[in-house]
Amino acid sequence: MSKYITNLVRTFKAGSNNQSLLVEEAKSLEFQGPVIVSGTMSAPNPGGPVGMISRILDDAASIDTYFEAIQAQMPQRQALLQEIGAACTSTRMNVLKVHREAEYAGSNPPTVLVRNFIRAKRGHLDELLETVTSFIDGIPSGRTKGALTETTTGRYGLITISVPYESNAAAQEGYEWVRASGTSARAKRMADITQDSARVPFRILHSNVEM
């Protein structure tokens, strides 16, 4: 049975520094389960920084339970949500299917979550998932292995490799390690079947996920 992740994504107004409000938003919802609150270190899109509340759910039925909790608790959370909404330019909800969970190898709790967004060319999504899975399987013991997810809402063909790191320095070392394999046959095939990609580091603002 597959796990799922819901990402509540908020883009803040330019110059805004209210990402910490998302921690309050996440804690204000009475809902059991792992949650990670993260925010970009810069503005990857027009506008301001992006904040994200990610909830890890055991199965597809839990998506309904989560949305029901949001609706049921809307009245008592309305003031907080209005405050957050006033600080943002957009809000959206994405649902992701988990193909592989992360395996964290750091000595201390992670402070950075690097999300690698990769969009497959039409007709190549399954091959891209298989190729990325093969790459993750080949990561040697002692190195962190990222989570692999497939977005099931919005535009077709988007997968994400989410890699937790102990620090920004560790994230940069991870980037260099992956880049060094860029001339392999697998990397070249990935380039052939990929439409575009982006690497976006997020600061972990709050997490109760065991790693």
Side-chain angles (χ1 to χ4, degrees), residues 78-138:
Q78 188 170 7
L80 173 62
L81 296 177
Q82 286 179 341
E83 180 184 0
I84 297 171
C88 297
T89 60
S90 69
T91 301
R92 64 185 184 277
M93 180 75 78
N94 295 325
V95 177
L96 291 71
K97 180 180 179 180
V98 178
H99 286 271
R100 186 186 182 108
E101 296 185 61
E103 298 176 29
Y104 182 61
S107 301
N108 297 304
T111 65
V112 177
L113 183 62
V114 176
R115 289 183 169 98
N116 300 276
F117 301 99
I118 308 172
R119 189 174 300 282
K121 290 182 178 178
R122 184 162 292 278
H124 292 282
L125 177 57
D126 288 339
E127 183 182 358
L128 180 60
L129 285 166
E130 291 171 2
T131 303
V132 172
T133 298
S134 174
F135 168 76
I136 294 174
D137 287 343

Side-chain angles (χ1 to χ4, degrees), residues 25-173:
E25 179 180 5
K27 291 181 176 180
S28 71
L29 183 70
E30 294 183 11
F31 187 81
Q32 296 296 316
V35 60
I36 299 176
V37 183
S38 57
T40 56
M41 303 173 190
S42 59
N45 298 304
V50 174
M52 195 178 299
I53 299 176
S54 304
R55 293 189 181 272
I56 303 171
L57 307 173
D58 288 334
D59 50 36
S62 299
I63 301 172
D64 295 306
T65 306
Y66 171 55
F67 288 151
E68 288 166 3
I70 291 176
Q71 291 298 319
Q73 298 174 43
M74 189 71 73
Q76 61 264 41
R77 302 172 70 230
Q78 188 170 7
L80 173 62
L81 296 177
Q82 286 179 341
E83 180 184 0
I84 297 171
C88 297
T89 60
S90 69
T91 301
R92 64 185 184 277
M93 180 75 78
N94 295 325
V95 177
L96 291 71
K97 180 180 179 180
V98 178
H99 286 271
R100 186 186 182 108
E101 296 185 61
E103 298 176 29
Y104 182 61
S107 301
N108 297 304
T111 65
V112 177
L113 183 62
V114 176
R115 289 183 169 98
N116 300 276
F117 301 99
I118 308 172
R119 189 174 300 282
K121 290 182 178 178
R122 184 162 292 278
H124 292 282
L125 177 57
D126 288 339
E127 183 182 358
L128 180 60
L129 285 166
E130 291 171 2
T131 303
V132 172
T133 298
S134 174
F135 168 76
I136 294 174
D137 287 343
I139 295 175
S141 176
R143 296 194 70 93
T144 293
K145 298 184 178 183
L148 174 60
T149 58
E150 172 190 352
T151 302
T152 64
T153 54
R155 290 178 58 198
Y156 168 86
L158 180 64
I159 71 170
T160 308
I161 309 170
S162 303
V163 190
Y165 288 103
E166 191 170 338
S167 64
N168 284 295
Q172 290 304 311
E173 189 278 333

Side-chain angles (χ1 to χ4, degrees), residues 121 127 131 181-194:
K121 290 182 178 178
E127 183 182 358
T131 303
S181 63
T183 58
S184 68
R186 180 166 50 204
K188 291 179 180 178
R189 182 55 186 164
M190 278 188 63
D192 290 339
I193 61 178
T194 296

